[in-house]
Amino acid sequence: MANGFIPRPVSAIAGLRAYDPGHDLPALRARFGDVGLAELGSNESPFGPSPRVLEALTRVDATTLLRYPDPMGLGLRTAIAATTGVAPDEVVLGNGSHELLMLLGQCFAGPGDEVVFSEFGFAVFAIATAAVGAMPVRVPALSRAATMPRGHDLEALAAAVGPRTRLVYLANPNNPTGTTFPLADLERFLARVPTGIPVVVDEAYVEYLHDPVVGGALALRDRYPNLVVTRTFSKAHGLAGLRVGYAIADRAVVDVVNRLRESFNVNAVALMLAEAALADPDHVARVREATRQDREALAGALEAMGLFVHPSATNFLLVDFDRDAAPIEAALLARGVVVRPMGGYGLPTCLRINTGTGRDHERLLAALAEALA
Ligand SMILES: Cc1ncc(COP(=O)(O)O)c(C=O)c1O
């Protein structure tokens, strides 16, 4: 640089890399504009938001835009509290649940502290840990075998909690494994963790769950005040572009997060539209059922091609190709099909593919048949 300026970030930040979106999606959209891109890499919902959200959008006016949003997001927090059976002051909003996962790391862990999470746990857990200079304690997954579930080993996770542990991150269901753990296992885990250590259960995909024994962790809040549940409007609500997530936690935890949270972290339009989304639980129920059917159909078609598809409770599938998946991913991309490579997770033989429209699935399967030929 001309003036010789070399920025020197703190050591924790110096070791980080900027978010890698994988591909330049705007450029790919322009390139495949005529046929369209099959976007199956970000676990978005192909069903989009409820019609109520689109109707609420027509009510956005100049005043909504010229004023700062409600810094407390009280309307949305009250609506979330009503649907989840908690009090509004037990809810804190985030610019996506990603922001809340990062804030929780900043609030509760620092240099030299340990943060416990599972191998193949959601990528943000490691980033949030590194960003504060804490030590990641990655606990081996239940299995590493290609054809076995790679979910959280809650026994081993509990055993990994030690005197330097300040925070635990779990995801149920987990991305990218698609795995879940039963509430009873979570309860056994919580009983073994000192109550001074916040246990974050990331429930970004909770709306997709059918299995009644894998209910949301909120049922355990009364007994475990250190439990923090994060959720999002990005997945089953079909609002990834809006950036709204929330955490439900003890008031004392919410109070700590609010000290660091940027005052206007959720914008005015997002507050309005997320509230409209919550008012339409039938939309989410329809999305859940349609996603289950689409997921089963897609898994069946992939299995018929001889691929191993991990069982999934979500809107995505972890597919094992039993060989380096990078050339397959590249071949799909060349045909306008975007999926997510898993090398960064230590799963280089896998690709993560979310359910899309019928046409997306046709494109994917046709492109895969060519790529594998
Ligand atoms: C497990 C999990 N948690 C959290 C997020 C973050 O979602 P958002 O920031 O859009 O709420 C994602 C997004 O893919 C996810 O897969």
Side-chain angles (χ1 to χ4, degrees), residues 42-44 94-101 121-125 170-176 202-205 230-235 239-241 243-246 316 340 345 352:
S42 295
N43 299 348
E44 297 148 344
N95 196 265
S97 57
H98 185 148
E99 183 191 34
L100 292 163
L101 295 170
F122 181 47
V124 169
F125 304 162
L170 309 174
N172 197 35
N174 182 50
N175 170 17
D202 174 342
E203 291 191 339
Y205 299 92
T230 60
R231 293 186 175 180
T232 182
F233 287 88
S234 299
K235 306 301 175 184
L239 291 168
R243 311 306 303 129
V244 195
Y246 56 97
F316 61 83
R340 186 58 66 101
Y345 273 98
R352 194 194 68 200

Side-chain angles (χ1 to χ4, degrees), residues 47 172-173 178-182 205-216 236 281-296 312-315:
F47 303 104
N172 197 35
T179 47
T180 55
F181 49 77
Y205 299 92
V206 74
E207 290 90 354
Y208 291 108
L209 293 182
H210 276 269
D211 185 346
V213 292
V214 195
D282 291 348
H283 177 73
V284 175
R286 280 192 295 272
V287 166
R288 176 188 306 129
E289 179 52 25
T291 302
R292 184 186 64 76
Q293 290 177 16
D294 291 351
R295 183 182 66 222
E296 286 173 7
S312 169
T314 65
N315 64 337

Side-chain angles (χ1 to χ4, degrees), residues 2-344:
N3 64 5
F5 172 64
I6 300 171
R8 293 190 197 285
V10 295
S11 58
I13 306 300
L16 285 180
R17 271 182 293 159
Y19 172 68
D20 177 6
H23 306 290
D24 182 353
L25 286 173
L28 284 166
R29 284 176 194 138
R31 184 173 141 207
F32 287 94
D34 42 345
V35 279
L37 202 59
E39 299 192 30
L40 304 173
S42 295
N43 299 348
E44 297 148 344
S45 167
F47 303 104
S50 152
R52 288 195 189 209
V53 171
L54 299 178
E55 189 276 323
L57 193 54
T58 65
R59 283 185 270 119
V60 172
D61 59 13
T63 310
T64 316
L65 300 179
L66 80 88
R67 301 282 176 216
Y68 279 101
D70 172 8
M72 300 311 294
L74 187 60
L76 178 57
R77 279 175 40 238
T78 304
I80 290 168
T83 54
T84 54
V86 305
D89 59 1
E90 295 172 313
V91 182
V92 55
L93 304 178
N95 196 265
S97 57
H98 185 148
E99 183 191 34
L100 292 163
L101 295 170
M102 297 297 289
L103 282 172
L104 287 158
Q106 284 178 274
C107 288
F108 294 105
D113 294 336
E114 289 181 354
V115 178
V116 173
F117 51 90
S118 179
E119 179 189 30
F120 313 132
F122 181 47
V124 169
F125 304 162
I127 298 168
T129 303
V132 297
M135 296 292 298
V137 178
R138 280 175 206 271
V139 176
L142 272 179
S143 166
R144 290 181 183 178
T147 54
M148 293 291 284
R150 289 162 160 147
H152 290 17
D153 182 342
L154 288 169
E155 286 283 322
L157 282 155
V161 172
R164 292 165 72 180
T165 306
R166 289 287 168 275
L167 188 64
V168 178
Y169 287 113
L170 309 174
N172 197 35
N174 182 50
N175 170 17
T177 56
T179 47
T180 55
F181 49 77
L183 206 53
D185 291 6
L186 176 62
E187 171 140 39
R188 267 195 299 280
F189 173 83
L190 289 166
R192 288 178 61 184
V193 175
T195 47
I197 301 173
V199 174
V200 180
V201 181
D202 174 342
E203 291 191 339
Y205 299 92
V206 74
E207 290 90 354
Y208 291 108
L209 293 182
H210 276 269
D211 185 346
V213 292
V214 195
L218 291 178
L220 301 175
R221 280 191 67 244
D222 289 351
R223 268 160 291 156
Y224 300 99
N226 54 331
L227 182 59
V228 180
V229 175
T230 60
R231 293 186 175 180
T232 182
F233 287 88
S234 299
K235 306 301 175 184
H237 284 287
L239 291 168
L242 211 52
R243 311 306 303 129
V244 195
Y246 56 97
I248 294 179
D250 189 84
R251 289 176 180 81
V253 171
V254 170
D255 174 63
V256 171
V257 174
N258 272 332
R259 294 178 209 172
L260 192 59
R261 183 179 62 82
E262 190 264 306
S263 351
F264 305 108
N265 63 334
V266 181
N267 72 70
V269 178
L271 289 174
M272 267 177 75
L273 301 193
E275 207 176 320
L278 266 190
D280 192 358
D282 291 348
H283 177 73
V284 175
R286 280 192 295 272
V287 166
R288 176 188 306 129
E289 179 52 25
T291 302
R292 184 186 64 76
Q293 290 177 16
D294 291 351
R295 183 182 66 222
E296 286 173 7
L298 183 59
L302 294 166
E303 281 163 355
M305 298 175 96
L307 303 172
F308 181 77
V309 182
H310 285 268
S312 169
T314 65
N315 64 337
F316 61 83
L317 296 168
L318 184 67
V319 184
D320 202 315
F321 291 79
D322 198 26
R323 59 172 141 144
D324 181 14
I328 300 164
E329 197 253 334
L332 293 179
L333 193 62
R335 292 164 175 80
V337 177
V338 183
V339 299
R340 186 58 66 101
M342 290 284 106

